[in-house]
Amino acid sequence: MKLVFLSVLFSIFFAGASAQIKDTLKAGDKLKTHKKSWEVSPFSNDDTLTRNDYLMSIERMFQALNKASQMEQPVPAIEAMSQRMDEDDSAISIIKERLNSNNRGLNIRNVQMFIILLQQIHNDTKTFAAELHVYDSTLDSLKKQIFDLRKDTVLRQIFKDSSLRESFKPQLKQLRGKWTKADSILKSTNNLIDNTLARTSDNLISTNELQLQAIEAAKLAGARAFGKERKYLWEQGKVNIPLSLSEEFRNKVASEKKITQYYYSHTHNQLLLLLITGLVFFFWIFYNFKSLGKRHETESLKQFKFIYLNAVPILASAIFMLNLAPLFDLDAPFVYIESVEFFLMIALTISFWRQIPRKVFLVWIIFVLLFLTQSFSGYLGLPFYLNRWLLLIINCASSILGIYALAKFWKQYSKHKILYLTGILYTFFNLLAVFCNLFGRVTLMQLFSTSGTYSVIQTVSLIVFVGIVTEAFLLQIQSSRVRKNYEENFEHADIVKGISSMVSLFAVVIWLIVFTTNMNLYNVLSFRISKLLSTPHSIGSFSFTLGG
C-alpha cells in the first residue's frame, strides 16, 4: 500500500517538473526570438563597408589631387621673381666688384648710389621672400592633406583586395593618372619655391654685407674729402698710362651704365606717376584754352600777358613735370637729379629761345656748353690728371661767366633776388672748386662744381615754374568766369601775389631738396630730422614726440 502511494506521489511530482521545464523552454525561445529580431533591425550597429563608402574615400582623394593644379597658378609670379633676381644678382655683382676694387676713382656719390640701390634690392628681396613663404605654406598644407589620405584604411583596403580593385578598376585608373600629374606639379613647384627661397636668402646676406661695406667706404670717402686726396696740380709729373687703361675705362662706363639702367628699370612706377602728373597738367591747360576758344574769348587773356602758357603747352608741361621730379623719389641717387637737371636745361633753352634778350640768351648758351663739357668730361677716357686740368679750365671759365653776368644784368633782374643770390653762389662755388682742384681735394672739387651749376639750373627753372603755375591758375579763373558769363575784366594783382607767394614757398622746398642732394647732405639731414621728431621727450609723467 505504501509502495503504491509513493509511486503515485512520484508520478505527480515528475509530471509537474516536466510542465515547468517546458514552460521555461518556451519562455527562452520567446526571448531568443525577440533578441534576434532586435539585431536585424535598421538601428543595429553594422560595421560592414558598402560600395558607397569606398567611392566616398576615392572621391576625397580626387578632391585633394585636384587642388594640386592650383599650385601651378603662382608659378608665373615666381618665375617673374626669378627674372627680377637675375637683374638683382647682376647689380650686386657690379657693386661688389666696384667696392672691392680699391679704385680711388670711386667717389662718395658712387658709394651713396650703391647704398641706395642695395637698400632697394634688400627691400625687394624681403618682399619676394614673404610671398614665397606664403606659397610654401600652402604647398606644405596640401602635401600634408594628401599624405593623411594615403593612410586612409578604406582606401588601403581597396588596393589590398583584388576583388575590390577589379570592382573599382575605372576609378582607380583615373586616380592613378591624377596622382602622376599631381606628383609632377607638386615636385616641380616645390623645387622652384625652394630654389628661389635659397636665392632670396643669399641676396639678403649679400646686400647686408655690402651695405655695411658701402657705409664704411662712404665714411672713409667723407673723411678723405677734407684731406689731400691727390697730388697738388702743379706736382703732376710724367704719368705712364697702362695699356689696360682704355679697357678699364670701358668696363667702368659699362658697369655704371648697367647700374643706372637697373635703377630706372626699378623706379618705373614713380616715373609713370610723374608722367601722368605732367599729362594731367597739359590737358588741364589745353581744356581751358579750348573752352575759351569755343566761346571766342581768347582775347580776354591778353590782360594777363602770359609768357609761358599757350594753347598747346608742351614745354610748360615738361618744365612743370621736371620741377616736381625730385619729390617723386626723395631718396634718389645723384644720377636721378643729374638726369632731371639735364632735361630741365634742354626744356629751358628751347623756352628761352624767343623769350629773353639776345645777350642774356648768349650767356645762357655759354653756361649750357660749360655744363655739358663738365658733365661729359668723365666719359672722354682721359687720365685723371688731364681731366683735372680740363675741370680747372671749366671752373675758371664758369667763375668768369658768373662775375660777368652779375655785373652786367643785376639791375635788369633785380626783382628776382633769389636769382642774384644764386649767381653769387654759382661764382663762389666755382672759385672753391678751382681752389680744391689745385690742392688735391678732388671730392670737394666735384661737389662744389656740380652743385653750383645745378643750383643755377634749379633756380631758373623754379622761377619759370612759379610763373607757369600762376598763369595756369589765372587761366582757370578766367575760363570759369567766361563759362559763368561773369565780367571778363577783374582785378587780378592781389590774386597773382597770393598764388605766387604760396607757389614760391613750395619751390623753395624743392630747391633745398635738390641742393642738399647735390651736396650729399640730404640723407644726413633727413635722418637727423626724423630722429629729432621721433625721439620721445618727457615732462614729469607726460611723454611726447615732436613728430606727434
Side-chain angles (χ1 to χ4, degrees), residues 158-365:
I158 297 175
F159 288 101
K160 288 180 180 178
D161 193 322
S162 59
S163 62
L164 288 175
R165 287 200 306 270
E166 185 64 28
S167 176
F168 297 104
K169 187 175 182 180
Q171 291 85 355
L172 294 178
K173 183 178 180 181
Q174 190 177 359
L175 183 63
R176 197 170 289 111
K178 283 275 185 183
W179 178 271
T180 304
K181 182 180 179 181
D183 183 63
S184 175
I185 292 173
L186 294 180
K187 281 183 179 178
S188 60
T189 306
N190 188 66
N191 289 334
L192 182 61
I193 292 175
D194 287 345
N195 292 335
T196 312
L197 268 175
R199 292 184 66 186
T200 60
S201 300
D202 184 48
N203 281 3
L204 287 173
I205 294 171
S206 298
T207 51
N208 280 329
E209 293 301 314
L210 287 174
Q211 276 183 295
L212 294 174
Q213 188 177 348
I215 290 171
E216 288 299 318
K219 290 179 180 178
L220 290 174
R224 193 174 62 236
F226 294 94
K228 183 182 176 183
E229 299 174 88
R230 301 276 182 161
K231 293 181 178 180
Y232 297 139
L233 194 59
W234 60 83
E235 289 180 341
Q236 293 287 354
K238 183 177 179 181
V239 179
N240 294 322
I241 304 174
L243 296 176
S244 61
L245 180 62
S246 58
E247 184 66 26
E248 180 183 348
F249 173 76
R250 283 195 296 269
N251 292 336
K252 176 186 173 183
V253 172
S255 64
E256 289 188 357
K257 183 180 178 181
K258 287 180 180 178
I259 289 291
T260 304
Q261 288 175 343
Y262 174 86
Y263 170 75
Y264 282 116
S265 66
H266 286 70
T267 55
H268 58 273
N269 289 333
Q270 294 99 309
L271 296 177
L272 180 61
L273 183 59
L274 178 63
L275 180 61
I276 292 173
T277 303
L279 289 174
V280 169
F281 182 82
F282 174 86
F283 285 110
W284 177 40
I285 303 301
F286 180 79
Y287 168 76
N288 282 324
F289 267 104
K290 191 172 182 180
S291 176
L292 290 172
K294 284 183 178 180
R295 293 169 175 81
H296 307 288
E297 294 290 346
T298 309
E299 294 294 322
S300 64
L301 297 175
K302 286 186 176 181
Q303 59 179 315
F304 306 121
K305 298 179 181 178
F306 284 169
I307 299 174
Y308 307 107
L309 296 186
N310 53 47
V312 187
I314 296 175
L315 277 177
S317 300
I319 295 172
F320 173 84
M321 178 181 66
L322 291 170
N323 273 288
L324 294 179
L327 301 178
F328 282 78
D329 194 350
L330 294 175
D331 292 326
F334 177 72
V335 67
Y336 178 77
I337 300 297
E338 190 176 34
S339 302
V340 169
E341 300 300 319
F342 175 75
F343 288 113
L344 261 177
M345 182 196 63
I346 295 175
L348 289 171
T349 303
I350 299 172
S351 179
F352 290 162
W353 174 252
R354 294 185 179 179
Q355 288 182 3
I356 61 177
R358 291 292 94 186
K359 289 184 179 180
V360 179
F361 186 73
L362 180 61
V363 171
W364 174 260
I365 289 298

Side-chain angles (χ1 to χ4, degrees), residues 107-110 112-113 332-334 443 446-447 450-451 513-525:
N107 57 47
I108 192 169
R109 282 178 171 161
N110 295 132
Q112 287 186 343
M113 182 174 180
F334 177 72
T443 299
Q446 293 168 346
L447 286 176
T450 55
S451 297
I513 291 173
V514 174
F515 181 75
T516 52
T517 302
N518 288 332
M519 293 295 292
N520 293 324
L521 297 173
Y522 177 78
N523 290 330
V524 176
L525 291 175

Side-chain angles (χ1 to χ4, degrees), residues 3-21:
L3 184 59
V4 173
F5 177 76
L6 289 172
S7 300
V8 172
L9 183 63
F10 181 77
S11 300
I12 294 170
F13 176 78
F14 182 77
S18 299
Q20 187 177 2
I21 290 171

